[in-house]
Amino acid sequence: VEATAMIGVPDMEYEESVPDGLPTVLFEHPTVGFANQCAPSDDIIGVALALLPASQGYITVAPDYIGMCGTKAPCPETHPYLIGEPTAVASLDAVRAARNLLSEEVEIGIDMDGRLVPWGISQGGHAALFVDRFAPHYAPEFAVDCTLAVVPPANLLGQSAVTFLESKSAMRLGTAFFASALHWYEPDLDANSVFNTDGEINYAEHILETYTTTCSPSSLVSGASSPSDVYTPDFIGLLESQDIALEYPVGCILKENSIPHASIPSNSQSTMLILLGETDAVSIHI
């Protein structure tokens, strides 16, 4: 699977002594869209955010995630929005690729020292937490000493009713999560059982078609004024259920992408900093 990333390296030219190795910041970007043209490494803002830690003396690796290729070449994979495993695997592979690039192909005299700091915002906060969870199992050659997650949707199971039904802005992102899940967990979830097909807009068709072409979450729910326009009544009832964790496959999908409930064991040894907004009604459900 082809994926892209931005790499930032400190300019050590004027330093009196250059260390043999530097720690690495793995910068996980927030929601920028879901399609190939949305890759942050192809945008000045994404590049600037990726380079900021490098200006402070860190090697920086900033993945675009799967499904968004910064080279503008065709990127046929579907973006795994808030799907923890493929995002964590692709992010750790990006660090491995950067290590190989710096040690074998680019003569800059600086290598990674093996220390890794996942840092992410919003969607990227979710990604950073899953990198922390998967690293000991998938990439044990890296020592994750510290993890920073800013307003992460860390507990999709606990956040489901608030995220997908009560908050209009978060509803768009919840819709994107289920559009992504329809691909990554196919065929265990049926679009017609999730998205409404009876209104003026057939959202089961509209959302799946739009998800792979847009950088705007609001376009997924274009024309909708409430969750009942987008989701089926049965699915809304499911999200509101106290027993949603027991409902297959939705409960399973939500659990596997929620840090408190994911089945992969936590062997994390890192110090963790999670930043939340005082009035954030969504991320607080950790």
Side-chain angles (χ1 to χ4, degrees):
V1 173
E2 180 178 310
T4 54
M6 173 65 66
I7 302 172
V9 180
D11 184 354
M12 310 296 287
E13 181 179 356
Y14 301 104
E15 298 293 329
E16 293 184 1
S17 62
V18 178
D20 293 332
L22 293 174
T24 301
V25 167
L26 176 58
F27 177 71
E28 307 281 30
H29 66 75
T31 302
V32 296
F34 320 103
N36 194 43
Q37 69 271 22
C38 311
S41 69
D42 192 47
D43 180 85
I44 185 60
I45 295 178
V47 172
L49 286 172
L51 294 181
L52 279 174
S55 73
Q56 299 301 308
Y58 296 89
I59 293 172
T60 309
V61 180
D64 288 325
Y65 309 145
I66 295 171
M68 294 189 291
C69 291
T71 59
K72 292 191 179 297
C75 196
E77 298 293 328
T78 297
H79 175 58
Y81 185 71
L82 297 180
I83 308 295
E85 181 174 358
T87 301
V89 167
S91 297
L92 290 164
D93 280 347
V95 180
R96 285 172 168 163
R99 178 193 58 193
N100 293 341
L101 183 71
L102 296 178
S103 63
E104 299 176 6
E105 299 185 32
V106 180
E107 295 295 331
I108 60 171
I110 303 175
D111 292 321
M112 295 179 179
D113 67 6
R115 291 178 294 168
L116 183 65
V117 180
W119 167 41
I121 304 168
S122 191
Q123 177 192 2
H126 181 272
L129 293 174
F130 270 93
V131 166
D132 176 78
R133 180 67 62 90
F134 272 85
H137 306 280
Y138 183 72
E141 68 268 31
F142 299 116
V144 180
D145 294 332
C146 176
T147 300
L148 294 85
V150 182
V151 291
N155 184 3
L156 296 183
L157 181 67
Q159 295 164 330
S160 57
V162 173
T163 303
F164 307 138
L165 300 180
E166 295 180 17
S167 170
K168 187 172 182 180
S169 60
M171 180 186 76
R172 301 194 293 262
L173 305 183
T175 303
F177 167 72
F178 283 113
S180 173
L182 285 165
H183 169 79
W184 285 95
Y185 296 97
E186 187 181 2
D188 286 344
L189 196 59
D190 177 34
N192 291 342
S193 68
V194 176
F195 301 123
N196 196 356
T197 61
D198 296 331
E200 294 184 7
I201 299 175
N202 182 331
Y203 281 102
E205 292 182 357
H206 169 76
I207 289 171
L208 294 188
E209 291 174 358
T210 307
Y211 178 77
T212 59
T213 61
T214 187
C215 298
S216 170
S218 61
S219 64
L220 295 173
V221 292
S222 175
S225 58
S226 71
S228 61
D229 293 330
V230 177
Y231 298 115
T232 67
D234 287 345
F235 194 72
I236 290 177
L238 180 62
L239 292 177
E240 294 175 335
S241 170
Q242 296 297 315
D243 298 321
I244 188 174
L246 304 177
E247 296 290 339
Y248 181 84
V250 175
C252 180
I253 291 170
L254 289 169
K255 285 193 292 185
E256 285 305 317
N257 296 290
S258 298
I259 286 295
H261 308 285
S263 61
I264 183 169
S266 175
N267 294 338
S268 173
Q269 301 297 316
S270 71
T271 299
M272 192 168 293
L273 175 63
I274 298 177
L275 300 178
L276 304 175
E278 185 175 359
T279 59
D280 189 336
V282 176
S283 299
I284 198 67
H285 292 266
I286 294 178

